[in-house]
Amino acid sequence: MSRIPLRLVTATAALGLAVGGALMATGADGASAPGATGTDGALATGFAKVTRNTPWTEVGKLHLDFNTFHTEGLAITDKHIFLSSVEIIEPTQKYPSPVGGYDRTPGKGVGHLFVMDRQGHLQKDIVLGEGDMYHPGGIDFDGHNVWVPVAEYRPDSASIIYKVDATTLRVSEQFRVQDHIGGIVKDDTTGDLVGNTWGSRKFYAWSPTGQQESTWSNPSHFIDYQDCQYVASAKAICSGVANLPQTPTAGGSAATYELGGLALVDLHTHAVLHEIPFQQWSEAGHVMTRNPVKMAADGSHLTLWAAPDNGEEAGGTELYTFTADVS
């Protein structure tokens, strides 16, 4: 297998599923180097051309043959696939009215960062979190480290931000935040970390040591972001889902419909530059952007990976690969 550039999840080599299920490198995004400003890479440029009519082709899927629990975030390097996940031991329960500023009990669980080889074989299970903070969110790979937020499984709570060396797998706690952080990316142009809250209604930017630099409200209510990735220059592609009520004849609010989508967010102006629906469906009947998603580009050829199904669902978790070409 050929070596590929380090910044894979945002601007790295596109992965495809070869015959037999092995992940193979197929190209690169062509993004600017870390620290560069002003130049968009192929992924930001290509994604901006995607429309709701762009045809996406499923080119493979990789079955993960271990218990993945509830999948959250995905990162891919030249040697590893990283998958964050939450194992629920005791589900949270909604309070009749808020208690201590919380709308539900903390529940109990275990936060996992699964480390696989490029063929999807589990190599290590890194347990992350502390006390009520056991819910890992969306993750980002900055070329050297994988960034993982682990929060309480309830809004307006608390989180730990971890840095995991992608080569040595050494875990370092970087800082703590008094809010639920459900996803994170690292802005190469500033070095700041940008995180989104429960339902992605709010964003924070921090220095690498945790000093809060800014905060802003998400201007879009199209979907709730589940997983994001940095895209040169100073942007992020975020994927997610909105569970919308059905018509009365289809069950009403008790039978929700999963609207999946992707958005390109400017990390400096805070504007949502482009967003599209993504209505491809998994073995268990979930929209592809329900859980972790990552993308890459080789010129105008886009690749998208998604792991929408939880471990206990029909067929377990599979890592799907889709491709599309944009002009």
Side-chain angles (χ1 to χ4, degrees):
M1 181 176 296
S2 60
R3 298 283 292 182
I4 58 179
L6 282 175
R7 179 94 200 191
L8 183 141
V9 197
T10 65
T12 58
L15 297 177
L17 283 169
V19 176
L23 286 164
M24 303 295 290
T26 60
D29 174 53
S32 54
T37 59
T39 303
D40 282 349
L43 184 49
T45 302
F47 179 78
K49 298 176 182 178
V50 176
T51 72
R52 67 171 65 177
N53 297 318
T54 298
W56 290 87
T57 302
E58 182 182 324
V59 296
K61 59 183 177 181
L62 179 65
H63 179 73
L64 303 184
D65 59 356
F66 58 93
N67 194 343
T68 55
F69 306 108
H70 177 32
T71 58
E72 297 288 344
L74 180 67
I76 306 170
T77 75
D78 58 349
K79 292 183 179 179
H80 297 113
I81 303 169
F82 292 86
L83 180 71
S84 64
S85 175
V86 58
E87 176 186 358
I88 303 300
I89 297 173
E90 177 186 302
T92 62
Q93 301 291 330
K94 280 287 193 77
Y95 293 125
S97 58
V99 175
Y102 298 115
D103 71 344
R104 67 196 71 192
T105 64
K108 293 180 181 179
V110 179
H112 299 270
L113 181 65
F114 296 119
V115 185
M116 295 166 271
D117 62 22
R118 292 279 295 274
Q119 288 72 45
H121 303 129
L122 182 64
Q123 294 183 320
K124 189 171 184 178
D125 178 0
I126 302 174
V127 175
L128 297 174
E130 176 185 303
D132 293 339
M133 292 177 285
Y134 58 83
H135 184 288
I139 64 179
D140 190 35
F141 174 58
D142 68 4
H144 301 284
N145 303 297
V146 178
W147 295 89
V148 187
V150 181
E152 294 186 36
Y153 208 158
R154 51 187 178 177
D156 305 312
S157 53
S159 307
I160 303 172
I161 308 302
Y162 291 99
K163 180 178 72 174
V164 180
D165 187 297
T167 302
T168 66
L169 304 183
R170 180 177 179 270
V171 177
S172 303
E173 177 184 325
Q174 294 301 107
F175 55 91
R176 300 191 176 206
V177 180
Q178 283 303 117
D179 206 340
H180 175 104
I181 304 303
I184 198 165
V185 299
K186 185 180 179 184
D187 182 349
D188 275 353
T189 66
T190 63
D192 287 348
L193 295 158
V194 179
N196 57 270
T197 62
W198 182 279
S200 65
R201 294 306 92 210
K202 183 178 178 181
F203 284 88
Y204 291 96
W206 309 278
S207 72
T209 58
Q211 179 179 343
Q212 184 176 312
E213 306 285 358
S214 62
T215 183
W216 66 94
S217 297
N218 187 347
S220 175
H221 295 265
F222 175 52
I223 54 171
D224 292 341
Y225 304 148
Q226 303 296 312
D227 198 14
C228 296
Q229 67 184 91
Y230 178 79
V231 179
S233 171
K235 297 175 179 65
I237 290 179
C238 295
S239 59
V241 64
N243 291 297
L244 304 177
Q246 291 278 28
T247 63
T249 56
S253 59
T256 57
Y257 167 78
E258 291 182 357
L259 172 64
L262 298 154
L264 182 65
V265 179
D266 191 307
L267 299 178
H268 291 181
T269 68
H270 310 153
V272 176
L273 303 175
H274 188 61
E275 54 189 4
I276 57 164
F278 193 87
Q279 295 304 108
Q280 301 282 347
W281 304 94
S282 71
E283 179 72 20
H286 293 295
V287 73
M288 280 293 161
T289 58
R290 174 197 184 213
N291 287 334
V293 171
K294 285 297 182 286
M295 295 182 68
D298 180 6
S300 61
H301 184 75
L302 305 182
T303 302
L304 178 147
W305 304 274
D309 296 341
N310 297 332
E312 70 275 9
E313 294 182 288
T317 298
E318 294 179 306
L319 179 60
Y320 292 80
T321 304
F322 289 85
T323 62
D325 290 288
V326 293
S327 58

